[in-house]
Amino acid sequence: MPSASGTTPGKLPFVVWVLAAGTFLMGTTEFVIAGLLPEMAGDLGVSDSHAGLLITAFAIGMIIGGPTMALATLRLPRHRTLILALAVFSVGHVIAALSSSFTIVLVTRFVTALATGAFWAVGFVVVTAAAGPRDSTRAVGVMMGGLTLANVIGVPIGSFAGQYAGWRGPFWALAVLAGLAAAFIGRFIPAMEQGSQGSLRAEVGALRQSRLWLALTAAMLIMGGVLAAYTYITPLLTERAGIPAGAVPLVLIVFGIGAVGGTVIGGRLGDRRPMATTITAASATALSLFLLIPLSVNPVTATLLVFLMALTGFTVNPVVTSLAVRYAGNAPTLTSALTTSAYNTGIAAGSAIAGRAMDSSLGLTGPPLVGTVSAVLTLVPLLALAVSRTPRTARVLAQRTASPHTRDAEPARAPSQR
């Protein structure tokens, strides 16, 4: 029997995969800079450390851009917002590829981050509504899978292409592909558009939900924990595990594979047992990070633990993202944007604290220790969610879209909560 989304149960709408392709492009542009940094610094006439501001500018744009752009485009139909975001993304990359000014490239990075934040905020809402309550977490997992897949495929290809075509080559490719993605979205999203105009009062009012803030806190802490260790994983692998520098990219690919696997697992299990899935995964993440401290002296165990921390850490992401959107009821756009900001805040804070820890007497074991503490703290909001009752407003969206044959249409209720 067709679901509320108009598709057969278990089969995700094609729009979910189109938006996943969009997140793949935006994930690639966010992370590929690290591999292109020396070439960009030399071409734009700045130092490597100064060129690192290109990464910082994008992170800041993502943190403030999601909520800001979500509110600014609230009255626009969602498919138009997505197309506009991809258009700005494409034009920004064209301007950067044509420019020889570091300042202009820096500004375009910030602007494209604003567009990325808007795309993520609206995209999460669209895929959740399109899939229906039964498969919403899986749909969010597929969309987030585009980001994790960017680490496995997009970033290595972009870095490799940059070595032969210069850093402008990947920028041109991203601009063209974003234009194609906008065309696909213009074709497939309009037919699904229903009541996309939102109320600013309702969006802000949804933020009064304490469960929503617990989900956002969990998103921030788990991502901060994983990225605290990942940001400084190269020196840990080379200086402590004894892995040759040339083999480090292979370990990073292993991390990316684990992240993709975790996103898939979270998307598959999160709809049925959200709290059991997240609590188990966060606990396993803390254990993996803790074991990385004594066992990172061996290249085999170090590589295995890098895989496990990605697998378990990224299992949490689609579940808490989907829960946050659902807790907002029929005003989910701003909440979705805040989820993106929460992840990027965790990344920024986790990597900054880990850097301080590495400069202390803890040395190379400092980052995984910081990650362990952050992953353990993730259990606090998750356990609070598990023992709290589902408020009526958290079920509004499910009640409006669920099929009468969908028994688990109330996504926030786990077996442990009944």
Side-chain angles (χ1 to χ4, degrees):
M1 179 176 178
S3 67
S5 60
T7 59
T8 57
K11 184 178 181 181
L12 294 177
F14 185 62
V15 67
V16 175
W17 303 98
V18 174
L19 294 184
T23 60
F24 172 82
L25 296 178
M26 294 178 173
T28 299
T29 200
E30 180 174 5
F31 298 114
V32 77
I33 294 296
L36 302 174
L37 207 60
E39 291 80 4
M40 296 185 73
D43 187 56
L44 298 174
V46 297
S47 65
D48 286 354
S49 59
H50 196 60
L53 292 175
L54 297 173
I55 299 175
T56 305
F58 197 94
I60 294 174
M62 284 288 288
I63 292 171
I64 67 174
T68 302
M69 297 307 296
L71 294 178
T73 60
L74 192 59
R75 293 292 181 178
L76 291 178
R78 288 173 184 150
H79 77 286
R80 291 186 184 177
T81 301
L82 293 171
I83 293 172
L84 180 62
L86 283 167
V88 172
F89 182 90
S90 179
V91 172
H93 281 76
V94 169
I95 294 174
L98 291 173
S99 178
S100 58
S101 167
F102 175 79
T103 301
I104 292 178
V105 176
L106 184 68
V107 171
T108 61
R109 286 287 291 173
F110 179 78
V111 173
T112 53
L114 294 179
T116 300
F119 184 91
W120 273 80
V122 176
F124 280 141
V125 176
V126 170
V127 298
T128 300
R134 186 185 188 96
D135 297 310
S136 58
T137 301
R138 186 157 67 97
V140 170
V142 169
M143 184 174 169
M144 296 187 73
L147 177 65
T148 52
L149 197 61
N151 285 292
V152 183
I153 299 176
V155 172
I157 291 178
S159 299
F160 181 78
Q163 294 177 5
Y164 290 90
W167 65 268
R168 300 174 195 273
F171 272 59
W172 281 113
L174 288 167
V176 171
L177 292 173
L180 293 175
F184 269 91
I185 288 174
R187 168 65 178 84
F188 289 105
I189 295 231
M192 306 179 62
E193 195 69 39
Q194 296 180 356
S196 62
Q197 290 190 345
S199 164
L200 177 60
R201 182 177 181 180
E203 293 286 344
V204 175
L207 301 183
R208 291 196 294 265
Q209 302 254 5
S210 59
R211 290 168 63 87
L212 187 154
W213 289 103
L214 289 173
L216 293 177
T217 301
M220 178 186 68
L221 289 171
I222 194 65
M223 186 55 63
V226 173
L227 268 294
Y230 180 73
T231 300
Y232 301 99
I233 201 66
T234 297
L236 182 75
L237 294 174
T238 56
E239 299 176 28
R240 187 169 170 83
I243 296 177
V248 169
L250 298 178
V251 181
L252 300 184
I253 291 176
V254 169
F255 175 90
I257 294 173
V260 172
T263 302
V264 172
I265 293 172
R268 289 285 181 178
L269 300 180
D271 282 312
R272 290 174 292 173
R273 298 179 178 274
M275 302 321 306
T277 300
T278 51
I279 291 172
T280 301
S283 300
T285 304
L287 180 61
S288 299
L289 287 163
F290 178 74
L291 292 177
L292 193 61
I293 298 173
L295 299 182
S296 58
V297 294
N298 181 281
V300 176
T301 55
T303 302
L304 177 61
L305 289 169
V306 166
F307 170 79
L308 289 177
M309 77 175 187
L311 180 72
T312 55
F314 278 80
T315 295
V316 179
N317 295 351
V319 186
V320 293
T321 299
S322 182
L323 289 177
V325 172
R326 295 174 195 175
Y327 291 151
N330 58 355
T333 305
L334 179 58
T335 295
S336 178
L338 288 173
T339 304
T340 303
S341 296
Y343 285 128
N344 282 276
T345 300
I347 292 172
S351 59
I353 297 173
R356 289 291 189 90
M358 191 170 68
D359 289 337
S360 71
S361 59
L362 295 171
L364 293 173
T365 63
L369 180 59
V370 171
T372 301
V373 173
S374 187
V376 170
L377 290 176
T378 305
L379 294 172
V380 176
L382 291 178
L383 290 172
L385 283 173
V387 300
S388 62
R389 294 176 59 85
T390 304
R392 180 181 179 277
T393 50
R395 299 195 296 266
V396 172
L397 187 59
Q399 292 172 344
R400 291 186 177 184
T401 60
S403 164
H405 295 276
T406 305
R407 294 183 61 189
D408 57 346
E410 296 183 13
R413 294 177 66 187
S416 60
Q417 294 169 274
R418 297 180 179 178

